[in-house]
Amino acid sequence: MPKLAAKSWPAMLLFYLAPWFLLVDSISGALQSLPLVLPWSLFYKALLLTLLVWQLILWRDKTLLLLMGLLLLALIGPGYSYLTLPALQSRGLAGFAGSELPVLLKALAPLLAFRFYQQFCARYPAEFTVMTDRLMLLSFLVIQLNLALGLAGFGDTAYQPMDNVAQSFLGVKGFFYSTNELAAVLLVVSGWLLWRSWPRHKACFVAVSLLTIASAILLLTKTGLFGSVLLVTFIPLLSARPGFWRQHYKKVLSALLLLLSAALLLVWYAEPLLRAAGLYDKLAYAYQQRGVAGIVLSSRDLYLSVIWQQTEQHYTALHRFFGVGLAGVSVLLKKYFIEIDLFDLMIFYGIAGALIFCLTFGHFMYACCRRLSDHPLAATVLFINVLLLGVAMFAGHILTSGMLWLPWALLNAAVCNQLLLSPLASTTPKVVRGPDERLT
């Protein structure tokens, strides 16, 4: 039982409720086939956000004013769309709010949760560590359970069959809705578990590594496949203590040569490996249609061009500066998401959307860079943030994800936890230091 102050009762509720959010997501997805289904996952996350906001109010955190200002700025353009477009007015104010607010709240949720966890960590560092371990471990186990159920024939495939593509394996995702979002969550939670298990529990590190890569293979996303291999490879290197590189540079160079050889072998045998995974036909079709950009962007550049042209044709420059809203794009096109977060937020919410994107990644990376010299977790979290920035720019589903904001904010706030300094320092073997090195 965490010993929290009287004014921290919302934080106590979050201590117990937050770790189960991904399980609720999964159960909500499993209940979708039932009659009179309710959005249980949406209700649960709304409760978590309400508790977050209420606790920050009790702590008198001024960050809420900034986030409220961004929210109001982001609603200017969509609000003007609602007032001037009869097609939107016919849906009613509730329908308009139901289309705009969920995306906006998802985009603002990482900053909101990050600020809460920063405050929580400063006040209750031991409880913060327990909550982080619980949430990451439970989320990882829920992902594994869903993928196991998917292999057993329950839930949905990761992708739907495509015309002109005879793909033998479509991947599995269990009862989750979005494969790309799940792949991003996998990177965050496995990144934490890999860092926590290296180097003290190498058997756990190997187990988590194998499960992470196997999960990425089952999800069949470029995000998961590429990111999981990078995490498993680089987290031990990023967690190295000062002096490690000088003492073990020969071993490191040998390992890098082995990795380079393995990469060349993968390239050489790419076709049979992709055929075995069931991805070859899909990638070959994308290459024939759009070249290398078709493989990397999955035609998102085409969607960007179409949406940009349509909004430029039907809306004024000032209107687009403040954003035309998700509803404003949906009256023009059936597919209104580009799935590149920066451009989605800019088209929907204009300058406010661009600010939300830049503030989120900028704030997270700045917080990590400040602690690079004195916190062993900072380099790993910075690396994961760079990976997620690349995903946001090429595959989306980072700032517009309903599943990622909680573990992502928690991971970044963990860099502020001083309790994570001593366990790692006390269990890491000391290395021989040269006379010119100084401990920081």
Side-chain angles (χ1 to χ4, degrees):
M1 174 74 71
K3 297 179 180 179
L4 307 185
K7 287 187 178 181
S8 297
W9 63 266
M12 179 177 286
L13 288 177
L14 284 164
F15 177 86
Y16 291 107
L17 294 178
W20 304 97
F21 84 102
L22 203 61
L23 179 62
V24 174
D25 247 335
S26 176
I27 294 174
S28 181
L31 297 177
Q32 289 299 311
S33 59
L34 298 179
L36 300 176
V37 64
L38 293 174
W40 298 109
S41 175
L42 181 62
F43 294 156
Y44 197 79
K45 290 170 187 173
L47 173 63
L48 295 181
L49 277 174
T50 302
L51 291 172
L52 280 172
V53 172
W54 188 249
Q55 184 61 80
L56 288 174
I57 291 174
L58 292 178
W59 285 338
R60 298 180 181 180
D61 193 285
K62 296 180 180 179
T63 306
L64 283 175
L65 297 176
L66 171 63
L67 297 180
M68 182 61 68
L70 283 173
L71 178 65
L72 294 176
L73 179 63
L75 287 173
I76 293 176
Y80 184 74
S81 296
Y82 175 76
L83 294 175
T84 56
L85 297 176
L88 296 183
Q89 294 175 7
S90 64
R91 301 179 187 178
L93 186 59
F96 169 76
S99 64
E100 301 297 344
L101 287 180
V103 178
L104 256 179
L105 291 176
K106 287 177 187 178
L108 289 168
L111 284 173
L112 178 66
F114 177 69
R115 185 55 185 163
F116 164 78
Y117 283 128
Q118 270 189 321
Q119 294 271 26
F120 187 87
C121 182
R123 289 171 166 81
Y124 315 106
E127 288 80 5
F128 175 90
T129 305
V130 172
M131 179 166 54
T132 308
D133 284 333
R134 274 186 196 169
L135 187 144
M136 299 297 188
L137 180 59
L138 281 171
S139 299
F140 189 77
L141 293 176
V142 168
I143 293 174
Q144 302 308 311
L145 176 61
N146 269 269
L147 295 181
L149 290 173
L151 285 176
F154 298 97
D156 299 320
T157 58
Y159 295 96
Q160 298 300 318
M162 295 175 59
D163 296 335
N164 305 317
V165 176
Q167 188 173 339
S168 57
F169 179 61
L170 297 170
V172 296
K173 62 179 179 180
F175 296 106
F176 291 108
Y177 178 74
S178 173
T179 309
N180 287 317
E181 290 185 32
L182 187 60
V185 175
L186 175 67
L187 293 183
V188 171
V189 299
S190 62
W192 170 263
L193 294 176
L194 289 169
W195 180 81
R196 288 288 274 172
S197 57
W198 179 270
R200 289 167 292 167
H201 309 290
K202 293 184 179 178
C204 292
F205 179 87
V206 172
V208 174
S209 299
L210 293 175
L211 288 173
T212 300
I213 293 175
S215 300
I217 292 173
L218 292 175
L219 289 172
L220 283 184
T221 65
K222 297 185 290 290
T223 297
L225 289 168
F226 186 65
S228 60
V229 172
L230 288 178
L231 285 180
V232 170
T233 303
F234 282 97
I235 282 182
L237 302 178
L238 294 170
S239 304
R241 298 284 293 170
F244 173 86
W245 304 106
R246 177 176 298 179
Q247 185 180 12
H248 302 287
Y249 73 94
K250 292 183 179 179
K251 294 180 180 178
V252 172
L253 288 176
S254 300
L256 290 176
L257 286 174
L258 286 174
L259 286 174
L260 180 60
S261 302
L264 292 174
L265 283 174
L266 284 175
V267 172
W268 185 262
Y269 292 102
E271 181 177 342
L273 289 173
L274 290 173
R275 287 189 184 277
L279 283 172
Y280 182 79
D281 291 337
K282 180 181 177 181
L283 294 178
Y285 179 75
Y287 180 79
Q288 291 170 3
Q289 296 296 312
R290 305 281 299 167
V292 176
I295 296 177
V296 176
L297 295 173
S298 299
S299 298
R300 289 179 176 88
D301 55 333
L302 178 63
Y303 303 143
L304 170 60
S305 176
V306 172
I307 291 176
W308 188 269
Q309 290 173 4
Q310 289 292 316
T311 53
E312 189 175 33
Q313 180 179 350
H314 291 88
Y315 298 105
T316 65
L318 183 61
H319 193 175
R320 287 185 290 116
F321 178 80
F322 288 102
V324 301
L326 183 149
V329 180
S330 68
V331 299
L332 301 175
L333 298 164
K334 185 177 181 180
K335 180 174 175 53
Y336 41 84
F337 268 101
I338 302 167
E339 297 186 64
I340 298 177
D341 284 348
L342 176 59
F343 295 116
D344 278 328
L345 293 176
M346 284 179 61
I347 289 173
F348 295 158
Y349 307 114
I351 184 63
L355 283 173
I356 292 171
F357 183 92
C358 295
L359 280 174
T360 302
F361 280 102
H363 192 42
F364 285 0
M365 290 186 182
Y366 176 71
C368 293
C369 290
R370 286 184 59 191
R371 306 301 303 273
L372 279 176
S373 61
D374 59 4
H375 202 292
L377 178 59
T380 296
V381 177
L382 180 61
F383 181 70
I384 293 174
N385 285 334
V386 172
L387 277 181
L388 293 179
L389 176 59
V391 174
M393 294 303 298
F394 288 100
H397 300 284
I398 301 300
L399 285 182
T400 56
S401 170
M403 294 194 296
L404 182 64
W405 60 275
L406 199 57
W408 188 26
L410 193 58
L411 179 71
N412 279 275
V415 176
C416 304
N417 194 341
Q418 297 298 318
L419 291 184
L420 294 174
L421 291 170
S422 54
L424 193 67
S426 62
T427 56
T428 304
K430 294 182 179 180
V431 297
V432 178
R433 304 180 186 278
D436 59 330
E437 285 190 88
R438 298 291 184 270
L439 290 172
T440 56

